[in-house]
Amino acid sequence: MGLVSIVAREDFISLVTDLGIQQMTDDIHFKELIPDTAFIAFSGDEEYAVMAADAAETLIKQGFSLRELAESIQSSINNPLLPADGRPFEAVVAGYSQKGKAQYHIISNIKPLESYYPATGESLYYVNGYEPMLVLERSLKMYGMGTVDQAQAAQIHLLQEASKFIPNVYMNPSSYILKRAN
C-alpha cells in the first residue's frame, strides 16, 4: 500500500513517501497538479490512483478548487456502479488556495472526505494508517514540526519505524515541499 505522510502549516506543506516521487509513470503515487502550489499523493489500489490522477489533472485545468477536486474524486470512487472489491485506496490533495491558504483533503473509497485547513501557528498532520499515525505523533513530539527540517526529520523517522512493522514499506524516502508564496 505504501506510506504517505503530510505535515501542514500555514507556511509549508511537507510530503514524505516511501513510494517515490514520480511524474506520470506506470507506477503512479504522486502528481504535481499546479507547480509549487498543489499535488495529489496516493496509497493503495493502482487502478484508483490512475483514475484519480487523470481526474485531478482534468479538474484543475477546468478551474476547480482543491476542495471541489477532492469532492469530485471522492464521489467518483464511491460510485455504486464501481465494484466494491475490497481494494483500499486513499489519496491526499494538498496545496494552497488562490488566497494562499494551506489545505489538504483526504479522499478514500472506504471513508467520507476529510478536509483540513491549518490556522496560523497550527501544525496538522496525516499518515495513512492508524499505527503509523501513532508513530508520527511521537516523532513530531520528538523532532518538532515548526520548520520544514523538523517535520521532515519526524516523517523520515516514521518511515524508518514503519518499515519494521508494515510489509512493503520501503526505507527509501522521497519528499516534496510546498511553501506559501509571500
Side-chain angles (χ1 to χ4, degrees), residues 71-119:
E71 288 170 342
S72 180
I73 295 172
Q74 177 79 20
S75 175
S76 294
I77 65 171
N78 286 312
N79 184 334
L81 300 176
L82 288 176
D85 54 10
R87 298 180 303 176
F89 173 76
E90 281 191 5
V92 180
V93 174
Y96 289 93
S97 70
Q98 290 179 343
K99 295 180 180 179
K101 183 142 179 72
Q103 59 188 284
Y104 67 97
H105 310 279
I106 303 167
I107 301 163
S108 172
N109 65 344
I110 57 173
K111 298 185 293 189
L113 178 70
E114 297 175 38
S115 295
Y116 299 93
Y117 305 86

Side-chain angles (χ1 to χ4, degrees), residues 55-164:
E57 191 171 47
T58 299
L59 296 171
I60 283 292
K61 288 178 183 174
Q62 292 175 0
F64 278 54
S65 70
L66 297 180
R67 169 76 188 193
E68 293 167 334
L69 178 150
E71 288 170 342
S72 180
I73 295 172
Q74 177 79 20
S75 175
S76 294
I77 65 171
N78 286 312
N79 184 334
L81 300 176
L82 288 176
D85 54 10
R87 298 180 303 176
F89 173 76
E90 281 191 5
V92 180
V93 174
Y96 289 93
S97 70
Q98 290 179 343
K99 295 180 180 179
K101 183 142 179 72
Q103 59 188 284
Y104 67 97
H105 310 279
I106 303 167
I107 301 163
S108 172
N109 65 344
I110 57 173
K111 298 185 293 189
L113 178 70
E114 297 175 38
S115 295
Y116 299 93
Y117 305 86
T120 302
E122 184 178 36
S123 297
L124 301 177
Y125 50 91
Y126 158 82
V127 64
N128 57 313
Y130 177 73
E131 285 186 45
M133 182 66 90
L134 297 176
V135 174
L136 181 59
E137 286 175 357
R138 285 193 305 270
S139 297
L140 289 168
K141 287 176 184 172
M142 188 168 49
Y143 290 95
M145 60 184 128
T147 68
V148 171
D149 290 342
Q150 289 173 329
Q152 290 212 315
Q155 289 172 286
I156 290 169
H157 180 258
L158 160 68
L159 195 64
Q160 293 166 343
E161 292 301 309
S163 69
K164 296 174 186 174

